[in-house]
Each structure stands twice: as structure tokens, then as C-alpha cells.
Amino acid sequence: MTDRHTNGRVQALPALAAVAALLALPGAALAARTDVVILKNGDHITGEIKKLDSGRLEYKTDDMDNVYIEWDGIRHVTSVNRFEVVDTRGIRRWGSLGRTEAPEELVVMTSVGADTLDLLSVVRLTRIKDTFLRRLKGSVSAGFSYTRATDTAEGTLEGQTNYRGERYKGGLSYSMYITQQSGDRTSRYSFGFKAGRFLKRRWTIGGNIGLEHNEELALDKRASITGTGSRVIFETIKTMIEVSVGVSGTRETYIGSDSTSYNIELPLAFDYSRYVWHHPKSKVIFSTSFYPNLTTEGRYRASVNLDLVHEIYKDLHFVIGFYFDYDSRPPEDAAKDDYRLTTSLRYTFG
């Protein structure tokens, strides 16, 4: 009798475990969305904070999927998850989010204590996720056009994947432009890897490795290694301006030439981004770089990139892009500049 009852209990254990697991699933799903947003009108919304970007809080709920809440319409935000919090002075803090009884105050609970901030002084919230793969974000853009009158086909492919941690960041980027006209093909491509470490306030130090090719400028290959220091000099809910300076070593080979040149350059860069419209989201991204050459007297290079990004649906965007490259002293018979206007569709992830 005892054995029969014991065996019955043993056999029932897997079934009980399965039932317990099924019952636990809704609770586990809800537990992942325990962040609370309290609006100025008194409404409470429970969900999962994704990020604060361009003055809007991206928020995921079970009933409404992703919603976007204007930051100036929020009274309180709380979360047990870990975030990077950046204020208008450029100070970064890492911790969970709490509140006080006073309206429009945010408490960042860091490893060394709690800091109380005015809610409107916060310009960026970035969720610090718990695994490497979940910290990756990026985008992929592709475009194609064909003109029958001139028998010209153009294709573009661009992308980037970025990593963001508490102290370090990194990223891979690539771009490719191919034009074929009446059987003749020209191409331009670039690949890059960058890494950086955040310092106090708005400073970052790091470096990058790059590889470029541009047939319009007769450039076969340019390989470069660069060390940089950058600083965000202005940041608000909608706008960010960053400048950087560095030292770069390059190795260049040109089409039709057997010689190889080595150069030392001092790259100077300026980056500007601004959200111009929220519904749907539109953004202007502008960057320019200037490369004085210390090895070849009188030589310098410059590049300009401009993207107008317009949201079509969620993570899908329409992009109008423009780039301009210039070399003051290219090889003999090579063009000094190259520029192009492109259109593409961009998908963002992460």
C-alpha cells in the first residue's frame, strides 16, 4: 500500500511540475513589465521602458504594444531595470529608476548612492541589458535605381551594428555604392570598426580601424588606424552636437600605380543630429570630417555626409542621403572630388 501511494505521488510530480510551469508563464511575462509611468493627468501605465530618445519615451505594454509618450507629459517614472541616464550637463549615471513625492523628479539609484534629478533635465535614457547580444543595436539600408535613357543602374547598401555598455562602446559599419552605365562599372566602399571608453562628463576616448576604396578618386585601397578623443558639446532632448580630434596613420595605393604611400593625418570631425518632427519621426544627421596631412605638404582631405531620415512604419525608414569626398592632391589625372545623392529604405533593430 505504501509503495503504491509513493509511486502515485512520484508519477504525479511531472504533471504537477508542468501545470506549475504553465501557471507561471503569465506571471513571468508580467514580471518582465513592471516599470511604471505616471502621467501628469494621473494615469498609471505599467509596462517596460525601452528608451528615452528625441523627447519621447518608448514604452512597451501588453495591451498596446509599443507606445511613445512625450517626456514633458510625464510626472514619475520607476523601474527596477538598469539604465544609463544622461542629463543636460552631460553627466552620466547608471542605475535603476525611483521617485520622490515631489512631481517631475527622478531618482537614479546607483551603486554608490541615490541622485535626485529634475525630470526635464534628463535628455537620454538607455536600457543597459544583461547580455552582450541584447546590447547590440543597428540598422541596414538598401537602395536601387535604374535610368533607361542612359542605361544607368545604381545600387547602395549600408549598415552598422553598435554595442553600448556602461563604460565602453563599439561598432562595425559598412557602405557600398555601385554604378553601372553601358557596361562600365564604378564602385565605392568602406568598412570600419570603432571602440571607445566613456570618461567623465561628455568625453570619450577611443580608436577605429578603416578600409576605403573609391574608383572615382582612383583610390584602390586606403587602410587607416586612428586614435581619437571626442566630446559632446551640446545635447538636449532633440539635438546633439559632438566634435572630435585625433591622429591617424594611413596606407594608400592608387589604381594604375605600383607605388604605396604612408601618411600621418590629424582628423577633425563634427557631428550634428536633430529630430525635426515626432509624428511620424523625422531626423537630420549631418557629419563632416577634415584631414590635414602632415606627411605631404599642402595636402588635405575632406568628407561630408547628410541623411534625412523619415519614419514610414515603426522600425522602417525612408532615407535621402548625400555624400561628398574631396582630396586636394590626388594622383595625376584623378578627380579631386566625388559626390552622390541617394535614396534608400532603412531598417533599424535593437
Side-chain angles (χ1 to χ4, degrees):
M1 179 69 70
T2 302
D3 292 340
R4 185 162 56 250
H5 283 299
T6 302
N7 290 336
R9 287 195 296 271
V10 172
Q11 293 172 359
L13 285 177
L16 290 173
V19 172
L22 289 173
L23 292 175
L25 283 175
L30 292 174
R33 294 185 172 87
T34 56
D35 303 342
V36 177
V37 171
I38 303 176
L39 304 180
K40 286 185 176 180
N41 64 9
D43 289 347
H44 289 57
I45 306 175
T46 301
E48 179 186 358
I49 296 172
K50 309 295 287 185
K51 63 181 178 179
L52 168 65
D53 193 15
S54 70
R56 296 194 304 172
L57 185 72
E58 184 178 348
Y59 201 63
K60 187 169 186 178
T61 68
D62 290 319
D63 297 328
M64 297 181 290
D65 198 17
N66 280 22
V67 296
Y68 296 88
I69 306 171
E70 299 297 330
W71 189 239
D72 57 8
I74 295 174
R75 179 178 296 170
H76 293 295
V77 174
T78 61
S79 176
V80 297
N81 295 309
R82 194 167 179 82
F83 289 84
E84 179 193 52
V85 183
V86 181
D87 66 15
T88 53
R89 296 176 296 167
I91 298 176
R92 296 184 178 95
R93 299 170 177 85
W94 296 269
S96 56
L97 309 179
R99 51 167 286 188
T100 67
E101 292 304 317
E104 299 178 42
E105 283 190 347
L106 178 69
V107 179
V108 184
M109 291 168 282
T110 69
S111 58
V112 295
D115 285 348
T116 301
L117 305 174
D118 181 78
L119 204 63
L120 293 181
S121 72
V122 176
V123 296
R124 184 157 30 95
L125 287 176
T126 304
R127 172 82 179 274
I128 305 298
K129 298 184 179 179
D130 52 0
T131 64
F132 175 82
L133 291 178
R134 295 183 66 194
R135 293 180 180 182
L136 297 179
K137 297 182 179 182
S139 65
V140 178
S141 305
F144 178 80
S145 66
Y146 175 75
T147 305
R148 182 178 180 181
T150 58
D151 190 24
T152 302
E154 292 186 326
T156 66
L157 179 66
E158 294 181 281
Q160 58 179 334
T161 301
N162 297 313
Y163 167 85
R164 183 66 175 262
E166 291 191 13
R167 300 293 180 184
Y168 298 92
K169 68 176 181 178
L172 292 170
S173 62
Y174 57 88
S175 66
M176 183 178 299
Y177 303 87
I178 298 177
T179 302
Q180 184 162 323
Q181 183 176 18
S182 302
D184 295 329
R185 189 178 73 171
T186 59
S187 63
R188 172 186 186 267
Y189 65 74
S190 65
F191 300 92
F193 169 77
K194 62 181 180 181
R197 188 185 191 283
F198 300 115
L199 302 179
K200 291 183 178 181
R201 297 286 176 142
R202 303 168 186 252
W203 287 96
T204 303
I205 59 170
N208 59 71
I209 300 172
L211 178 65
E212 301 173 68
H213 166 85
N214 191 332
E215 290 185 24
E216 288 289 342
L217 301 180
L219 177 65
D220 184 29
K221 289 184 182 65
R222 177 186 292 122
S224 62
I225 299 178
T226 306
T228 61
S230 62
R231 188 178 191 274
V232 176
I233 61 174
F234 181 78
E235 185 172 15
T236 66
I237 285 291
K238 294 183 179 181
T239 305
M240 185 175 74
I241 298 175
E242 183 176 13
V243 297
S244 64
V245 62
V247 178
S248 179
T250 68
R251 179 184 184 273
E252 297 175 334
T253 58
Y254 285 87
I255 298 172
S257 174
D258 295 330
S259 62
T260 300
S261 64
Y262 297 87
N263 300 277
I264 302 295
E265 297 177 320
L266 294 178
L268 307 171
F270 173 88
D271 295 280
Y272 169 88
S273 63
R274 178 174 175 80
Y275 285 88
V276 294
W277 191 252
H278 280 174
H279 306 289
K281 184 165 59 178
S282 298
K283 187 177 183 179
V284 176
I285 304 173
F286 173 81
S287 63
T288 181
S289 300
F290 181 66
Y291 303 85
N293 195 305
L294 301 184
T295 307
T296 304
E297 185 178 358
R299 183 189 177 192
Y300 63 89
R301 298 187 297 112
S303 67
V304 175
N305 289 273
L306 175 66
D307 283 346
L308 306 177
V309 185
H310 184 74
E311 183 181 57
I312 300 175
Y313 178 74
K314 288 188 176 180
D315 297 324
L316 186 64
H317 303 79
F318 175 72
V319 182
I320 299 176
F322 173 80
Y323 76 79
F324 173 79
D325 289 341
Y326 179 82
D327 190 333
S328 66
R329 296 186 63 180
E332 187 176 354
D333 298 328
K336 285 189 173 184
D337 55 41
D338 177 34
Y339 55 89
R340 181 163 297 165
L341 183 69
T342 64
T343 59
S344 61
L345 291 178
R346 176 175 296 173
Y347 172 76
T348 59
F349 58 89

